[in-house]
Amino acid sequence: MTSRSWLAPMRARDTTENHRVATPLELFFDLCFVVAVAQAATPLHHAIAEGHIWHGVEGYLQVFFAVWWAWMNFTWFASAYDTDDDVYRITTLVQIGGALVLAAGVADAFDANNYTAITIGYVIMRLAMVAQWIRAARGDRERRTTAIYYAVGIVVVQILWLLRLALPEDLLTPAFAALVVCELLVPVLAERSPGGSTAPHPHHIAERYGLFTIIMLGESVSAATIAIRTGLDTGEHEAGLVSVAAAGLVIVFGLWWLYFDRSAHSLIRTLHNSELWGYGHYFIFAAAAAVGAGIAVEVEYESHHAEISGTVAAYAVAVPVAVYLLVVWLLHIRPHQRGPFIAAYPFVAVLTLLAPLGPAPVFVIAALMVLLVTATVVVGRRVPDAIAQ
């Protein structure tokens, strides 16, 4: 049981704790972050439909990194130190507020390349984590050095993010890439500090990532539904839009099925594996949310409102689906599988990328999802689990 006093000692939780599940606060935290994800996916959809593909993709990946990284740091910290007391809840509220500030600045970032509001929102979220790590340093003597590494590293990088706002526009993207590397290095260095590694709960982390994957896929369904509703309001192309909606639903459901086919907690046992698994989910989350933007682009093409070709519109769906399949295969499926079936996921990913070159690409992609799910159920589960052996 966690303490709910005003300021309980923040000690590391037991990694073998039974029945460790996501808390109501964590679920609320995730739902608030979806606002920022939706704000990033909508401009991506419009940018691709208007032919500004690179601008849309670049802006989306940058905004999504800010959302994902703040979410990921909170998730792993909460798995190790969640006290669920009043100060912890208020600090989490500050992080949520930062996410909303970030979401409010997405339009300026896409339209005017102005990252001021996004940066401020991001820094608010990250400095709230500094407060959490300082509490951990006070309460967990064994890992005090690790917590201090985290706190100092986060503060230094946030100062650099603020200084980035003063750079000329042509240096913003290179500076962003450099600061992403700095952010990723903070946990890598902190977890290898003399204080030792923190202790996240494998089952809890796997559940938290699974829930966020569901939310990202749900965001895809929501984005596609809004786009289809808008198209149907015109009273034209109804049959085509309904069929795109059906194909999109099959695709998203297939992506959900494939992610949850194998349990992930056994993959989060060592520090190295945890880092690869945790960092790699950036691509799963970003691709899952981008599928909805791609379906929305396909809707605009079907209703003759897009300024791009049918092939480009189809690739707006095919690329995130292929990325999702490849990364899920690398992180979730490949460690469990052996034998010829191990090649099924990359093979279907390649076919997905070829689908836009032929007729009815979205329906072909949906059919490929059905085939891969069927093969996973009929063949994949008959292969002995390599981890369990």
Side-chain angles (χ1 to χ4, degrees):
M1 289 293 291
T2 55
S3 172
R4 299 193 179 202
S5 64
W6 173 247
L7 190 59
M10 185 169 271
R11 299 188 178 95
R13 296 185 62 159
D14 184 2
T15 58
T16 62
E17 179 182 348
N18 291 325
H19 310 297
R20 179 76 189 278
V21 297
T23 66
L25 179 61
E26 288 175 320
L27 298 177
F28 182 64
F29 183 87
D30 291 357
L31 289 175
C32 291
F33 265 59
V34 170
V35 176
V37 173
Q39 291 299 310
T42 300
L44 172 64
H45 146 218
H46 291 303
I48 295 176
E50 294 168 3
H52 308 303
I53 299 171
W54 173 245
H55 173 73
V57 171
E58 180 184 15
Y60 173 74
L61 293 178
Q62 291 188 23
V63 173
F64 198 91
F65 173 83
V67 175
W68 164 76
W69 189 242
W71 177 89
M72 177 174 163
N73 277 254
F74 169 81
T75 296
W76 286 79
F77 178 89
S79 187
Y81 289 106
D82 182 5
T83 55
D84 197 27
D85 57 23
D86 299 326
V87 173
Y88 181 87
R89 291 182 174 189
I90 292 170
T91 308
T92 303
L93 173 64
V94 174
Q95 292 178 268
I96 292 172
L100 298 182
V101 173
L102 185 151
V106 169
D108 282 344
F110 273 88
D111 297 339
N113 211 28
N114 181 357
Y115 285 86
T116 301
I118 282 183
T119 302
I120 292 174
Y122 179 74
V123 170
I124 290 172
M125 292 188 290
R126 301 298 284 134
L127 292 182
M129 280 306 306
V130 172
Q132 299 278 39
W133 281 114
I134 291 174
R135 282 194 66 194
R138 294 178 59 190
D140 185 3
R141 293 181 178 274
E142 181 182 349
R143 299 176 180 84
R144 175 171 293 177
T145 302
T146 303
I148 292 174
Y149 266 62
Y150 268 108
V152 173
I154 293 171
V155 168
V156 170
V157 178
Q158 300 326 294
I159 293 172
L160 295 177
W161 280 114
L162 292 173
L163 292 176
R164 174 178 175 265
L165 295 176
L167 294 176
E169 188 172 319
D170 59 332
L171 293 179
L172 290 179
T173 299
F176 172 83
L179 288 173
V180 165
V181 173
C182 292
E183 288 279 17
L184 297 177
L185 283 176
V186 170
V188 171
L189 298 176
E191 294 291 332
R192 290 166 176 78
S193 71
S197 176
T198 55
H201 192 291
H203 286 273
H204 178 245
I205 288 292
E207 182 194 33
R208 295 287 291 116
Y209 271 70
L211 290 172
F212 205 64
T213 300
I214 290 174
I215 290 175
M216 292 300 99
L217 291 172
E219 171 57 32
S220 283
V221 174
S222 175
T225 300
I226 293 172
I228 291 167
R229 179 70 264 168
T230 303
L232 291 175
D233 286 342
T234 64
E236 301 177 351
H237 317 291
E238 292 188 3
L241 295 177
V242 170
S243 61
V244 168
L249 180 60
V250 171
I251 290 170
V252 173
F253 189 75
L255 298 179
W256 168 83
W257 191 309
L258 296 170
Y259 181 92
F260 289 97
D261 184 67
R262 298 280 181 163
S263 174
H265 70 272
S266 59
L267 306 174
I268 318 172
R269 297 298 186 184
T270 67
L271 177 59
H272 177 70
N273 287 347
S274 296
E275 288 171 341
L276 291 177
W277 189 87
Y279 285 4
H281 268 74
Y282 168 78
F283 301 99
I284 292 177
F285 294 155
V291 168
I295 295 173
V297 170
E298 187 67 27
V299 167
E300 289 211 20
Y301 174 78
E302 286 290 333
S303 57
H304 303 299
H305 293 140
E307 301 174 15
I308 53 177
S309 67
T311 301
V312 173
Y315 269 116
V317 178
V319 170
V321 168
V323 170
Y324 182 99
L325 290 176
L326 284 173
V327 183
V328 166
W329 173 72
L330 284 170
L331 299 183
H332 274 234
I333 307 302
R334 189 178 60 86
H336 289 280
Q337 289 285 359
R338 58 187 180 185
F341 187 75
I342 199 172
Y345 279 70
F347 179 68
V348 171
V350 171
L351 293 180
T352 298
L353 291 175
L354 294 176
L357 303 179
V362 175
F363 305 99
V364 171
I365 295 172
L368 289 172
M369 292 300 100
V370 172
L371 290 174
L372 184 56
V373 168
T374 303
T376 298
V377 172
V378 175
V379 180
R381 293 180 185 173
R382 294 180 180 177
V383 180
D385 194 320
I387 293 178
Q389 296 296 306

